[in-house]
């Protein structure tokens, strides 16, 4: 396992279509989820939950998405049909991170949603630490109430991300990152 700074500076997104077997086993999934729940959670509300897509369930999920799309657009071309059919089978494991944020007398919903986003990032970092790679995606079905219902996600819940996890089938390529100096400034009382 890389040391913490190396882990953070070497993490790269690998596209879901370039993630193959092996994926995490049952013990590794439990570890990943244990890492995911170690996030800031003001008020200890646990404002998130996880839906796992693994094994044959990934293909079944894709078939359900395809059926939904075909019900809305029966003329969907073959390429688009295949795209919908394989949404969940691109990687060996897909974990939906679902925000269950709700009004609270003290904790703003925004803070609860950020906690769910932190859970996504912990999954991505945890996958990297275990020698896997991940891609955090949303895509159309994260925002579609009918699609969410197919996966037991309520109208009052929000999908923060579908985290695809597997073994990289290609070498990671770094993309240009912003120069830190261009995205920060130092506050001073004289400048306020």
């Amino acid at each position: 396992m890389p040391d913490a700074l190396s882990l953070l500076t070497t993490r790269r997104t690998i596209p879901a279509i370039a993630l193959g077997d092996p994926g995490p086993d049952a013990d590794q999934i439990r570890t990943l989820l244990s890492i995911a729940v170690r996030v800031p959670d003001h008020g200890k509300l646990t404002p998130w939950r996880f839906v796992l897509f693994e094994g044959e369930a990934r293909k079944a999920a894709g078939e359900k998405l395809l059926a939904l799309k075909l019900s809305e657009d029966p003329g969907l071309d073959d390429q688009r049909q295949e795209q919908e059919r394989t949404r969940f089978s691109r990687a060996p494991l897909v974990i939906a991170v679902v925000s269950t944020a709700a009004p609270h007398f003290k904790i703003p919903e925004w803070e609860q949603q950020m906690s769910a986003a932190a859970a996504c990032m912990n999954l991505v970092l945890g996958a990297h630490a275990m020698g896997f790679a991940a891609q955090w995606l949303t895509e159309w079905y994260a925002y579609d109430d009918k699609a969410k219902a197919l996966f037991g996600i309520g109208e009052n819940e929000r999908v923060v991300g579908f985290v695809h996890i597997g073994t990289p089938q290609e070498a990671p390529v770094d993309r240009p990152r912003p120069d830190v100096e261009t995205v920060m400034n130092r506050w001073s009382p004289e400048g306020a």
Side-chain angles (χ1 to χ4, degrees), residues 177-186:
R177 305 290 173 162
D179 178 350
V180 174
E181 296 298 323
T182 66
V183 294
M184 59 82 78
N185 65 297
R186 289 186 169 82

Side-chain angles (χ1 to χ4, degrees), residues 142-160:
Y143 305 101
D144 185 282
D145 286 337
K146 290 178 186 174
K148 287 170 31 183
L150 293 174
F151 308 127
I153 300 167
E155 287 184 27
N156 60 330
E157 296 179 316
R158 299 178 84 170
V159 176
V160 178

Side-chain angles (χ1 to χ4, degrees), residues 1-154:
M1 177 170 42
D3 70 63
L5 287 177
S6 177
L7 174 81
L8 294 170
T9 58
T10 61
R11 190 221 54 89
R12 306 287 183 269
T13 294
I14 302 288
I17 59 171
L19 297 174
D21 288 321
D25 63 27
D27 288 339
Q28 290 169 319
I29 291 170
R30 178 170 276 295
T31 299
L32 281 169
L33 294 175
S34 296
I35 292 167
V37 302
R38 295 185 66 83
V39 293
D41 176 10
H42 189 184
K44 300 177 189 144
L45 300 177
T46 315
W48 24 254
R49 64 187 186 87
F50 309 102
V51 180
L52 279 64
F53 300 85
E54 53 191 329
E56 291 301 311
R58 296 171 306 135
K59 292 177 184 170
E63 292 296 340
K64 286 190 174 286
L65 277 185
L66 174 58
L68 175 60
K69 271 298 186 192
L70 285 171
S71 74
E72 296 171 351
D73 182 3
L76 214 58
D77 67 44
D78 290 345
Q79 182 180 0
R80 185 65 192 278
Q81 286 187 41
E82 185 63 15
Q83 182 182 27
E84 299 306 334
R85 180 180 285 113
T86 59
R87 292 274 185 195
F88 288 89
S89 56
R90 296 176 282 192
L93 173 66
V94 179
I95 301 176
V97 179
V98 180
S99 170
T100 59
H104 188 275
F105 74 97
K106 183 178 176 185
I107 316 301
E109 285 184 63
W110 174 239
E111 285 188 23
Q112 297 174 52
Q113 291 167 351
M114 288 188 294
S115 181
C120 281
M121 194 65 217
N122 271 13
L123 282 173
V124 168
L125 289 170
H128 181 51
M130 295 172 119
F132 297 107
Q135 185 175 25
W136 172 359
L137 296 170
T138 47
E139 301 184 298
W140 70 268
Y141 46 95
Y143 305 101
D144 185 282
D145 286 337
K146 290 178 186 174
K148 287 170 31 183
L150 293 174
F151 308 127
I153 300 167

